[in-house]
Amino acid sequence: MTLPVGEYGTVTSVLSFNWVDDYFARPFNVAAIDRVDSYTQTDVRFIWRSPAGQWTVELFGTHLEDEAIYGRRIVPPEFVGNPAQLALFAPRRYGVQVGFAWGGQ
């Protein structure tokens, strides 16, 4: 949603919500260790744009739930007893970004 703020430009708000159901990391779908649990991810962003469109300032927060999300979790049969191979998604992040466009919009 974009709102005009008079002579100061515009402010746009963005809310993103993503839900992913349980899935298996390998094609056999038999081992519990291969199952990746369902998760949600919520991101929010507020963007200010100057009237001429040259400047932007963005405030953002991503993965607001800040839960550990495993993209895959695999224990190959030949390595049973050794640590599993894990891939984690990015944790919660927040910050500010400032942008300048040469030549305006």
Side-chain angles (χ1 to χ4, degrees):
M1 172 190 334
T2 300
L3 300 171
V5 286
E7 63 186 70
Y8 300 106
T10 61
V11 174
T12 302
S13 60
V14 179
L15 175 66
S16 172
F17 177 79
N18 188 30
W19 174 74
V20 176
D21 200 0
D22 297 349
Y23 65 92
F24 286 88
R26 290 193 290 181
F28 306 113
N29 297 348
V30 293
I33 194 72
D34 292 333
R35 182 176 172 186
V36 177
D37 293 332
S38 64
Y39 64 89
T40 61
Q41 182 171 340
T42 306
D43 302 339
V44 66
R45 186 171 297 263
F46 297 97
I47 307 163
W48 170 80
R49 288 184 179 83
S50 66
Q54 283 188 298
W55 289 97
T56 59
V57 177
E58 300 184 29
L59 305 172
F60 67 90
T62 61
H63 189 64
L64 299 180
E65 294 85 351
D66 200 28
E67 296 175 5
I69 299 174
Y70 298 96
R72 63 181 168 172
R73 192 170 23 193
I74 300 171
V75 179
E78 61 270 21
F79 296 112
V80 171
N82 290 335
Q85 176 184 1
L86 301 174
L88 288 169
F89 289 162
R92 178 187 307 153
R93 295 182 300 157
Y94 52 89
V96 176
Q97 290 178 269
V98 176
F100 180 79
W102 301 102
Q105 296 182 2

